[in-house]
Each structure stands twice: as C-alpha cells, then as structure tokens.
Amino acid sequence: MRIARIFAAAALLLAFFVHTLSAAIAETPFDGKWAGAIEVPGSTLEFTAEIPSTDTGAMSGTLSIPAQALVDVELEGLESEDDTLRFRLPDIPGEPRFEGELTDPDTVEGTFSQGSAELAFSMARKDPAEEA
C-alpha cells in the first residue's frame, strides 16, 4: 500500500515536470520548417527556412537557397513582433533581408530586399507529415 502511494506521488511529480518543461519552450507563430520563393523578374528563387522553438525565447534559424548553393545559413537579426517576421542573411553583398507578415497561420508574405532591389516573397509552413 505504501509503495503504491509512493509510486502515485512519483508519477504526479513526473507529470508536473514534463508539463513545466514543455511550457518552458518559447514558441512563436513562426516556429517550424518553411518552403518559400522570392519573385525575381521572369522566375522564382526557391528557398527553405527552419525556425525552431527554443527554451530561452531567443529566436534562431537557418535558410537554404539551393540554386545559389547556400545551405543552412544562420539567420541574423531574426525577430518577430506580433505577426511580423524579420531577418537578414550575413556576409552576403547587398545585405539581403526579409520582412513578412503572417497572412494565415501557415503562410508568410512580404518583401525581400537586397541592395536597392525589393522583391516579393512568400513562404508556407511545411507539413510535418511530409518530412517523414
């Protein structure tokens, strides 16, 4: 009987810690894997981005543009405010930057700027089932 009580108390304590730890992960509406495209004249430039949840609340992420041989470039100045997302790609001429807004929970639309050029971009959250 005493062992059953100890076991029950331990199970409740474990459930509390699991709930507390999962709540500590700071999620934003931009967390996840994204597939997008920049609308360049006469074409599109496809990219992927990954913005993971972190336990510190600080945002981080990477971006890949296969056509330009950019793979997992760390995003710089990554920040979100309400439904707006901003980030830059470091060490690339023209200081490329993205600024977009959630148009629905799984779509971001905005402006990609590099040098004096400003182009439209959009990205859609990837379905986790497609990743498997």
Side-chain angles (χ1 to χ4, degrees):
M1 181 88 153
R2 181 179 172 169
I3 292 175
R5 286 184 188 170
I6 291 172
F7 180 74
L12 284 172
L13 190 58
L14 179 61
F16 171 76
F17 282 124
V18 168
H19 173 74
T20 302
L21 289 175
S22 64
I25 295 176
E27 292 187 18
T28 73
F30 301 102
D31 291 347
K33 295 182 180 183
W34 300 82
I38 301 167
E39 299 297 323
V40 298
S43 185
T44 57
L45 186 60
E46 295 182 356
F47 65 88
T48 58
E50 185 168 351
I51 303 171
S53 298
T54 66
D55 57 356
T56 65
M59 293 182 73
S60 67
T62 59
L63 186 125
S64 297
I65 305 175
Q68 294 186 337
L70 294 176
V71 179
D72 294 334
V73 174
E74 290 290 327
L75 303 178
E76 200 170 77
L78 178 60
E79 62 183 16
S80 68
E81 183 179 327
D82 300 321
D83 288 343
T84 301
L85 177 71
R86 293 179 197 88
F87 58 87
R88 299 181 307 276
L89 300 179
D91 305 320
I92 297 176
E95 301 177 357
R97 55 203 176 281
F98 291 75
E99 182 169 338
E101 292 189 24
L102 282 172
T103 57
D104 67 53
D106 296 320
T107 306
V108 174
E109 294 180 352
T111 303
F112 166 80
S113 304
Q114 187 171 13
S116 62
E118 291 191 354
L119 305 167
F121 85 90
S122 64
M123 61 185 196
R125 192 182 312 272
K126 289 184 171 184
D127 182 354
E130 293 175 12
E131 299 290 317

